[in-house]
Amino acid sequence: DIQMTQSPSTLSASVGDRVTITCRASQSTSSWLAWYQQKPGKAPKLLIHKASSLESGVPSRFSGSGSGTEFTLTISSLQPDDFATYYCQQYNSLLGTFGQGTKVEIK
Amino acid sequence: QLQLQESGPGLVKPSETLSLTCTVSGGSISSSSSYWGWIRQSPGKGLEWIGSIYYSGSTYYNPSLKSRVTVSVDRSKNQFSLKLSSVTAADTAVYYCASPRAIFGVVPFWGQGTMVTVSS
């Protein structure tokens, strides 16, 4: 299986901050990488697929980049609704695997 | 808009079979090129694909769970189901039904999730 490692595990930030989360794959996933946002008690919500394609309805302050084994999710100006846990998922291999999550908390 | 809703027991005894059903609304489970699947989330293992089924009936399972998993479809009820046998405490998790874009791919549609605890 392809292992996905996110960093940091926890991130403390303030409203208006620019936030970057990194996801590294144990082997190349090309651009087959998605990002999700999850709030407590809720299912994950798909934000980005194919590394940089924004899902319909997702605010443009979210962006994704990268290819191969290193990817980033950037929130250009953190909003109160963005405090949540973020997960990456590779879907290049037959068995899609998720990162362990990055919790974005209020500083 | 596709909506999914899990149902089933919240408590299962060790060594027994966990059974969950997902009811689909806002779309047909028989739609061509549609996929349906199950994902679970536990503190220890994070998010983990369990199994997936194509509209044709072809199934795909996580190799680590394959010997214990069955995913099936009931077209008459617009539902699909998960059976996980010989459960242990390690199977305690929130179970989500999902509609991915491919076998174990990107998931735009999720159920709300149901907590299943394995305990005697």
Side-chain angles (χ1 to χ4, degrees):
Chain A
D1 300 351
I2 298 178
Q3 308 301 318
M4 307 302 292
T5 304
Q6 290 182 231
S7 60
S9 296
T10 306
L11 186 159
S12 297
S14 302
V15 172
D17 284 353
R18 181 182 181 86
V19 165
T20 298
I21 298 168
T22 298
C23 179
R24 289 187 174 87
S26 61
Q27 62 191 79
S28 177
T29 70
S30 185
S31 294
W32 304 113
L33 192 286
W35 290 97
Y36 299 84
Q37 176 194 67
Q38 186 178 33
K39 296 182 178 178
K42 300 292 187 182
K45 173 188 174 183
L46 179 62
L47 300 175
I48 288 169
H49 69 275
K50 211 170 179 185
S52 60
S53 296
L54 207 62
E55 278 294 297
S56 175
V58 174
S60 59
R61 62 181 180 273
F62 291 93
S63 64
S65 64
S67 65
T69 61
E70 187 153 339
F71 302 87
T72 58
L73 172 70
T74 299
I75 309 172
S76 60
S77 177
L78 198 65
Q79 298 301 302
D81 191 48
D82 300 338
F83 292 97
T85 301
Y86 293 84
Y87 293 92
C88 61
Q89 178 208 6
Q90 68 78 21
Y91 51 104
N92 184 53
S93 68
L94 182 60
L95 180 62
T97 48
F98 295 85
Q100 83 282 9
T102 295
K103 184 178 181 180
V104 177
E105 59 182 27
I106 301 173
K107 191 173 185 178
Chain B
Q1 178 82 338
L2 200 62
Q3 293 186 321
L4 299 90
Q5 176 70 58
E6 305 89 350
S7 58
L11 181 63
V12 182
K13 290 182 167 54
S15 79
E16 294 189 345
T17 296
L18 179 160
S19 296
L20 296 174
T21 297
C22 183
T23 300
V24 178
S25 57
S28 171
I29 204 161
S30 300
S31 294
S32 66
S33 302
S34 61
Y35 293 90
W36 311 95
W38 293 92
I39 296 167
R40 67 183 183 181
Q41 185 173 28
S42 63
K45 283 201 158 187
L47 287 160
E48 178 183 36
W49 270 107
I50 301 170
S52 189
I53 187 165
Y54 193 39
Y55 81 104
S56 64
S58 299
T59 52
Y60 307 88
Y61 300 131
N62 184 328
S64 70
L65 299 169
K66 187 175 183 177
S67 64
R68 300 194 290 132
V69 176
T70 303
V71 178
S72 60
V73 165
D74 185 336
R75 302 182 195 284
S76 67
K77 295 181 179 178
N78 219 36
Q79 295 175 335
F80 62 101
S81 299
L82 168 70
K83 291 189 186 300
L84 181 66
S85 64
S86 305
V87 296
T88 69
D91 295 309
T92 294
V94 176
Y95 286 74
Y96 294 99
C97 62
S99 179
R101 291 185 181 143
I103 301 165
F104 291 130
V106 171
V107 184
F109 299 106
W110 299 70
Q112 65 183 26
T114 187
M115 180 69 203
V116 179
T117 301
V118 178
S119 175
S120 55

